[in-house]
Amino acid sequence: MYLTVISTFFAYLIGLPLGVIAVVGEPGGVRPLPRPVMTVLNFVINILRSVPFLILMVVVIPLSRLILGTSIGTVATIVPLVVAAFPFVARLVESSLREVDGGVIEAAESMGCSPFQIITKVILPESRPSLISGFTTAFITILSYGAMAGAIGGGGLGAMALNLGYQRRMTIILWVSVVVLVILVQIFQSVGTRAAVRMDKRVRGQDRKKFRKEQKKKVQKERRIPGAM
């Protein structure tokens, strides 16, 4: 768990600013950047996203040794996890920010807000529910990546499932590892979904109840009309 939490933290520390830059720095954005800068940024993100995780882990082994002094074990897995996850996080953040209504941004610009104020006071708060959903997806993906790291010397549930469950034929350990991973994914997905719904200004609290009642009345009304579906 600490492997997943730390890797997610550093992945968002790098990926969140990159996702913001990818949106606000494009032509017509809040703060357009030179085209070569945006080209290099998108190229790097796309290159890292296109490499399968297991291959990327092998490629990043020298970097793990340089930073941590080792390439084997749970801690050494953090470096390849971050390298593999931050491009994914950047694209999730970019997708969330693009959902913000352009009219809201134009209104903020007309009131004289600076680009930094628009990003921190308008774009990020307006895209909060989508950002939370993206965070849940990224957390679960990093959790699965961490399990895959056991194939090349990483620790955790992946190493237990492969080394003990598969190679030593301890089937019970293999299935227990699978069940634990499934339970963890279900828990995090449920918590993330609830948090995203609660943060959504469009549907929350009494509004949700009112919306359900209106929909129920509408269905009942349609059933009384002959020929209504």
Side-chain angles (χ1 to χ4, degrees):
M1 286 306 304
Y2 81 85
L3 169 67
T4 305
V5 172
I6 294 175
S7 300
T8 305
F9 172 77
F10 283 106
Y12 262 85
L13 193 64
I14 301 173
L16 180 60
L18 293 180
V20 173
I21 293 173
V23 175
V24 302
E26 62 184 0
V30 175
R31 182 64 175 85
L33 296 177
R35 187 176 296 273
V37 174
M38 298 301 298
T39 301
V40 171
L41 174 63
N42 286 294
F43 178 77
V44 171
I45 293 176
N46 292 335
I47 285 293
L48 292 176
R49 284 199 63 195
S50 63
V51 181
F53 176 65
L54 287 177
I55 298 176
L56 186 62
M57 285 194 66
V58 175
V59 173
V60 178
I61 282 177
L63 182 61
S64 299
R65 288 175 179 165
L66 178 64
I67 296 176
L68 301 174
T70 181
S71 60
I72 300 175
T74 306
V75 177
T77 310
I78 293 175
V79 176
L81 275 176
V82 173
V83 173
F86 85 79
F88 178 62
V89 169
R91 290 305 184 199
L92 286 176
V93 172
E94 179 185 0
S95 176
S96 298
L97 299 187
R98 292 190 186 280
E99 296 179 3
V100 178
D101 187 3
V104 179
I105 299 176
E106 292 177 0
E109 290 176 335
S110 66
M111 289 187 291
C113 296
S114 65
F116 182 77
Q117 289 175 326
I118 294 174
I119 294 170
T120 57
K121 303 295 185 180
V122 178
I123 297 179
L124 290 177
E126 287 291 325
S127 59
R128 202 179 311 169
S130 182
L131 287 173
I132 294 176
S133 297
F135 176 83
T136 305
T137 302
F139 192 88
I140 292 173
T141 301
I142 294 173
L143 178 66
S144 64
Y145 281 172
M148 293 168 58
I152 61 168
L157 283 173
M160 184 185 300
L162 290 173
N163 299 333
L164 298 178
Y166 177 72
Q167 294 180 357
R168 298 189 182 182
R169 308 287 183 179
M170 298 180 182
T171 310
I172 184 64
I173 295 180
L174 176 62
W175 283 107
V176 167
S177 301
V178 172
V179 170
V180 171
L181 286 172
V182 170
I183 292 174
L184 289 175
V185 169
Q186 294 298 321
I187 292 174
F188 294 133
Q189 185 63 64
S190 300
V191 172
T193 302
R194 285 180 175 271
V197 172
R198 288 182 178 275
M199 296 299 294
D200 196 339
K201 295 188 301 182
R202 296 168 296 181
V203 183
R204 89 166 90 173
Q206 297 298 324
D207 293 336
R208 286 199 298 269
K209 296 180 180 179
K210 184 178 179 181
F211 177 76
R212 291 171 185 161
K213 289 180 180 179
E214 291 178 352
Q215 291 297 314
K216 186 176 180 180
K217 290 180 180 179
K218 183 178 179 182
V219 172
Q220 292 175 348
K221 184 179 180 180
E222 287 179 349
R223 286 177 178 173
R224 298 192 193 102
I225 301 175
M229 297 298 292

